[in-house]
């Protein structure tokens, strides 16, 4: 065997050895490998952040039981007037109660007349006139509201009139003096607790945002 043939055999053996070593280190690839699939991150719009439509209206259920007649009436009011808020209404009722009550106690109904139905205004005016006829002067100081609770609500889909009845528990100091300055009613040094149940009404969806006091009770 010639030297040239021996050299070729040696080189061929070295080449085969190197190929086997590369396969053992790098492995074998077949065709096009797929790129690695990235890990999917959780969608922040799902899970606890997902808004579930059709759930209870907290603006209603915070004040009356879910599914009650009052809740259904308030929901019907909101359908006619989407901007209506029960919480905002109660805030307004709190202010109206103090304003109307103090106007009645002091005998000056002029500025609260727009917030009273004709029947309620006439009743209040009769009491004020009777006190004036007796020569009584009333002093009063409003101390605050201890309790404010939405009691009932009604809605007439035909007239679109909504009525909301609110129970108030308040404290005030009031007294009535005769022409001689003698206290004949109340006590100017004693806090009196008062409870009232007032019903407010309004045509839902109207341009006039004001509610009127249409009935009073205890």
């Amino acid at each position: 065997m010639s030297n040239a043939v021996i050299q070729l055999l040696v080189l061929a053996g070295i080449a085969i050895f190197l190929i086997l070593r590369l396969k053992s280190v790098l492995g074998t690839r077949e065709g096009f490998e797929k790129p690695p699939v990235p890990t999917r991150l959780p969608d922040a719009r799902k899970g606890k952040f997902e808004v579930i439509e059709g759930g209870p209206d907290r603006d209603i259920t915070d004040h009356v039981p879910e599914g009650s007649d009052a809740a259904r009436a308030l929901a019907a009011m909101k359908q006619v007037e989407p901007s209506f808020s029960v919480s905002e209404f109660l805030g307004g009722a709190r202010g109206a109660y103090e304003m109307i009550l103090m106007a009645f106690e002091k005998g000056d109904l002029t500025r609260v007349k727009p917030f009273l139905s004709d029947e309620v205004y006439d009743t209040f005016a009769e009491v004020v006139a009777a006190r004036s006829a007796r020569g009584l002067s009333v002093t009063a100081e409003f101390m605050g509201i201890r309790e404010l609770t939405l009691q009932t609500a009604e809605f007439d889909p035909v007239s679109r009139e909504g009525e909301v009845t609110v129970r108030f528990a308040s404290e005030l100091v009031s007294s009535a003096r005769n022409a001689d300055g003698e206290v004949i009613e109340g006590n100017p040094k004693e806090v009196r607790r008062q409870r009232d149940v007032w019903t407010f009404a309004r045509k839902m969806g109207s341009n006039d945002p004001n509610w009127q006091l249409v009935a009073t009770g205890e």
Side-chain angles (χ1 to χ4, degrees):
M1 184 178 296
S2 65
N3 291 333
V5 173
I6 293 173
Q7 289 178 355
L8 288 173
L9 291 175
V10 171
L11 291 173
I14 293 173
I16 292 172
F17 174 77
L18 291 175
I19 291 173
L20 292 175
R21 288 289 297 171
L22 287 172
K23 283 187 177 182
S24 65
V25 174
L26 300 177
T28 303
R29 295 173 180 257
E30 296 179 357
F32 295 97
E33 288 192 344
K34 296 180 181 180
V37 179
T39 303
R40 179 172 296 178
L41 297 176
D43 191 346
R45 295 170 296 180
K46 297 182 178 180
K48 66 179 181 179
F49 299 102
E50 184 177 2
V51 177
I52 302 176
E53 295 183 358
D57 186 342
R58 293 296 301 274
D59 182 52
I60 294 176
T61 57
D62 281 349
H63 305 290
V64 296
E66 183 180 357
S68 63
D69 291 341
R72 286 191 287 270
L74 294 170
M77 293 182 201
K78 285 195 166 192
Q79 288 183 344
V80 174
E81 186 175 319
S83 62
F84 171 59
S85 165
V86 180
S87 298
E88 290 181 3
F89 163 81
L90 292 175
R94 176 185 291 271
Y97 175 78
E98 178 182 352
M99 180 177 65
I100 295 172
L101 180 62
M102 296 310 293
F104 171 73
E105 290 286 336
K106 296 179 179 180
D108 184 8
L109 301 175
T110 304
R111 68 190 187 99
V112 299
K113 187 176 181 179
F115 306 104
L116 307 176
S117 68
D118 292 341
E119 182 179 359
V120 171
Y121 176 81
D122 290 343
T123 301
F124 283 6
E126 286 179 6
V127 176
V128 171
R131 288 195 310 228
S132 179
R134 294 170 58 191
L136 301 181
S137 61
V138 177
T139 58
E141 181 181 359
F142 190 77
M143 307 302 292
I145 295 177
R146 293 167 51 88
E147 177 189 352
L148 186 154
T149 306
L150 197 161
Q151 187 166 290
T152 61
E154 297 180 1
F155 179 71
D156 185 340
V158 177
S159 65
R160 296 192 302 173
E161 177 122 323
E163 289 191 357
V164 182
T165 300
V166 183
R167 184 173 65 250
F168 299 92
S170 63
E171 292 183 343
L172 67 154
V173 177
S174 67
S175 61
R177 298 175 184 270
N178 60 18
D180 296 328
E182 298 173 331
V183 177
I184 62 172
E185 292 179 8
N187 188 332
K189 298 181 180 180
E190 183 178 296
V191 176
R192 185 183 84 212
R193 292 184 178 181
Q194 179 161 322
R195 293 185 180 275
D196 294 288
V197 176
W198 286 9
T199 299
F200 298 89
R202 176 175 171 266
K203 185 175 182 180
M204 306 306 296
S206 66
N207 293 327
D208 185 357
N210 294 322
W211 291 73
Q212 280 194 329
L213 176 63
V214 299
T216 63
E218 296 182 359

